[in-house]
Amino acid sequence: MPRITRRRALTIAASAVTTTAVTPVPTAAAADAMTAGRPRTPRLNPVLRCDLLTQVTPRHNWLVTAVAIRYAAPIDTRGGVIPPSAFHVTATVGRQTAARTVTRVYTNSAAEVDERADPGRPGDHLIIELDLRDANARASGATDPLPLDRAYAVRQVADVTARGSGPVLAAHPFAIRNDGVRTPVVDGFGAGSFTDSTGFGLDFRFHQPAGYLRRPGAGTRYPLVVTLHGGGEVADNNMTQLTANRIAVAFAEPQRQYKNPAFVLAPQIPLPRPMEGPDGTDWTDAKVQRALVELIDAVTAEYPVDADRLYLVGLSSGARGILHLLPQQPRRYAAAVATAGWGDPSAMERITHIPLWADHSVDDPVVPYKDGRFGKPGTWTLMNALENAGAKVTRGEWGNDLPQEQFEAHSRALLRRARRTGSHVLFTSYPAGTTPVNPHGSWAQTYENDVVIDWLFEQSR
């Protein structure tokens, strides 16, 4: 492990959502229906806060999925259904204001989406779910997050009533503006920065398992998953390596952390400084890779990382970084997942012993699947090189647009075949025309695939 010098700095700040002070908006709520011809005095239920709820999706990146309004008092509709037409929502994105489509409205006890078919429970929050297909649903632009504070306006245009009773929230003329933005899981990553022994810096996000946070001195050691983003996430925002795709978020999801508690490290390559030139914008560039290796060294020295369960995961240029780094440190990493990558076929002989699951779309227009155009020998070529060097490669091909259950069934069958033959290298190909949105996005289902992630955590050096 390289010696940590005084020139190296490792700093991690706890993540926090920056919010704006809330101005309560008066919303009338009738306590009960009129009885005996005499209306009862209405009880005011002021709005305390309004937040956008966002989500990192497998195929459409970072989207605003709902609005959560918190009221001063609980709202009980007594099981009644709130019609989506009771609320109008508009979003101002890129100076253009347009309506969002409301799909479901329900009460809840927290500012979170309820995934159940019959959602909602009595509580002080009103959740307004929005259609992900809306053209203005995005939460980020080409690279950077969009400025979404106060970008959404919500108007209640019809009374919300309780089953068998009168209104519990009355329509009103005021538009409620969102105070902040919440992104579950992403918000749990701390933000950090690292300066290597030469003065080159990498920003990063870092997720710490709940067990470690509760008992940091307990002596338990955890796996470390290092996720390498693609070329489109080279930036100075220390955010889009989490929100442009689910490569890091998938490993920090509560269900996954319950099953496989682990540290998750998501570094970000910075934009080049003026006059620096293009060097330094790819995981294979010498100064970037040196800083990455030193950052991993620093994290494993600072935290209780299980040195036998260090994993690399990457897509596009991140997969290229993996296939470049593994041959340089062939005894360090327990396993890797590389999606839509390319590399040097002559280096594959040094990594025949490393468990690797790779996948790639046959019609990828950015990173060729096999033929090495533009100096990019793709995954097919590299798998052949591994096979020629003595590794057993188990191959499978199926549509990247299959329902998740079918997709995982194919993955499970491929893994069974690999185990029968003693193979620890698996290669999934996706036929032309089956990868949604963009054929380069081979990762459309990779990090939603429990078979692949379960396999990864089973590996130990």
Side-chain angles (χ1 to χ4, degrees):
M1 179 182 297
R3 181 171 62 88
I4 297 179
T5 68
R6 284 183 294 176
R7 296 183 66 184
R8 184 180 307 167
L10 174 67
T11 51
I12 299 176
S15 65
V17 179
T18 303
T19 59
T20 309
V22 182
T23 303
V25 178
T27 59
D32 286 297
M34 296 172 58
T35 57
R38 178 173 55 86
R40 295 187 178 180
T41 303
R43 178 168 57 90
L44 293 178
N45 195 356
V47 170
L48 300 182
R49 183 170 185 83
C50 178
D51 285 299
L52 302 185
L53 303 182
T54 68
Q55 179 183 353
V56 182
T57 67
R59 302 178 184 179
H60 303 285
N61 301 338
W62 194 18
L63 302 177
V64 178
T65 59
V67 179
I69 304 173
R70 183 186 175 195
Y71 292 86
I75 307 160
D76 188 356
T77 63
R78 302 179 189 177
V81 175
I82 304 174
S85 58
F87 291 86
H88 286 177
V89 179
T90 58
T92 302
V93 178
R95 298 185 179 181
Q96 299 293 320
T97 300
R100 288 293 310 271
T101 306
V102 178
T103 57
R104 300 198 300 182
V105 183
Y106 49 87
T107 59
N108 210 346
S109 56
E112 58 188 31
V113 171
D114 189 338
E115 301 289 354
R116 297 175 300 175
D118 185 20
R121 58 181 62 85
D124 57 358
H125 287 78
L126 199 67
I127 308 300
I128 303 171
E129 289 192 26
L130 305 170
D131 195 329
L132 303 188
R133 296 169 296 182
D134 290 343
N136 58 344
R138 65 191 187 279
S140 62
T143 300
D144 293 329
L146 292 169
L148 292 178
D149 287 353
R150 307 287 181 178
Y152 273 59
V154 182
R155 288 194 60 202
Q156 184 181 343
V157 296
D159 292 346
V160 171
T161 60
R163 179 178 290 174
S165 184
V168 292
L169 283 179
H172 59 86
F174 304 106
I176 302 168
R177 291 278 181 179
N178 68 293
D179 302 287
V181 181
R182 298 188 183 191
T183 307
V185 185
V186 169
D187 292 340
F189 279 80
S193 62
F194 174 77
T195 305
D196 76 359
S197 56
T198 69
F200 184 76
L202 287 178
D203 284 343
F204 63 90
R205 289 298 190 114
F206 191 55
H207 174 87
Q208 302 175 57
Y212 168 72
L213 292 173
R214 286 194 299 266
R215 300 181 63 196
T220 303
R221 306 195 80 78
Y222 299 90
L224 172 64
V225 181
V226 181
T227 64
L228 303 185
H229 63 72
E233 290 76 66
V234 175
D236 292 320
N237 53 46
N238 203 8
M239 174 61 83
T240 50
Q241 75 270 39
L242 298 182
T243 57
N245 47 65
R246 288 180 57 79
I247 186 172
V249 171
F251 293 95
E253 289 277 5
Q255 302 93 323
R256 176 53 59 180
Q257 282 284 317
Y258 178 79
K259 186 174 185 179
N260 299 111
F263 293 105
V264 184
L265 175 64
Q268 184 179 53
I269 300 175
L271 291 169
R273 298 183 181 89
M275 308 304 292
E276 268 191 347
D279 182 53
T281 61
D282 187 87
W283 294 110
T284 63
D285 293 341
K287 62 183 179 181
V288 174
Q289 195 160 105
R290 180 181 54 245
L292 172 64
V293 170
E294 292 186 13
L295 170 58
I296 294 171
D297 290 342
V299 169
T300 54
E302 183 75 17
Y303 295 90
V305 171
D306 183 348
D308 290 328
R309 300 183 69 199
L310 180 56
Y311 307 119
L312 292 177
V313 178
L315 53 83
S316 193
S317 66
R320 182 191 184 198
I322 289 172
L323 296 167
H324 190 268
L325 180 58
L326 288 179
Q328 296 184 46
Q329 296 186 313
R331 298 294 170 188
R332 183 169 195 189
Y333 301 97
V337 177
T339 301
W342 72 101
D344 179 4
S346 67
M348 295 300 100
E349 63 182 7
R350 299 198 291 274
I351 64 170
T352 57
H353 62 287
I354 299 177
L356 172 67
W357 197 318
D359 59 336
H360 207 141
S361 296
V362 170
D363 55 343
D364 189 330
V366 178
V367 179
Y369 173 72
K370 64 179 181 179
D371 62 11
R373 287 178 294 129
F374 317 118
K376 298 178 179 179
T379 308
W380 184 88
T381 304
L382 300 181
M383 293 299 105
N384 287 349
L386 271 172
E387 207 160 44
N388 291 336
K392 293 181 179 180
V393 179
T394 305
R395 304 166 187 257
E397 183 171 324
W398 56 83
N400 207 359
D401 54 356
L402 293 175
Q404 184 176 3
E405 184 177 342
Q406 293 181 34
F407 190 92
E408 291 191 354
H410 283 290
S411 301
R412 200 171 293 111
L414 184 70
L415 183 55
R416 284 197 298 267
R417 279 202 289 123
R419 287 170 171 164
R420 282 198 302 268
T421 60
S423 168
H424 55 257
V425 179
L426 300 95
F427 176 32
T428 306
S429 301
Y430 306 120
T434 69
T435 295
V437 184
N438 184 327
H440 180 51
S442 308
W443 51 89
Q445 298 206 56
T446 304
Y447 304 103
E448 304 301 297
N449 188 342
D450 285 334
V451 179
V452 171
I453 299 180
D454 287 345
W455 168 88
L456 183 72
F457 279 110
E458 289 169 4
Q459 310 307 313
S460 184
R461 191 177 58 171

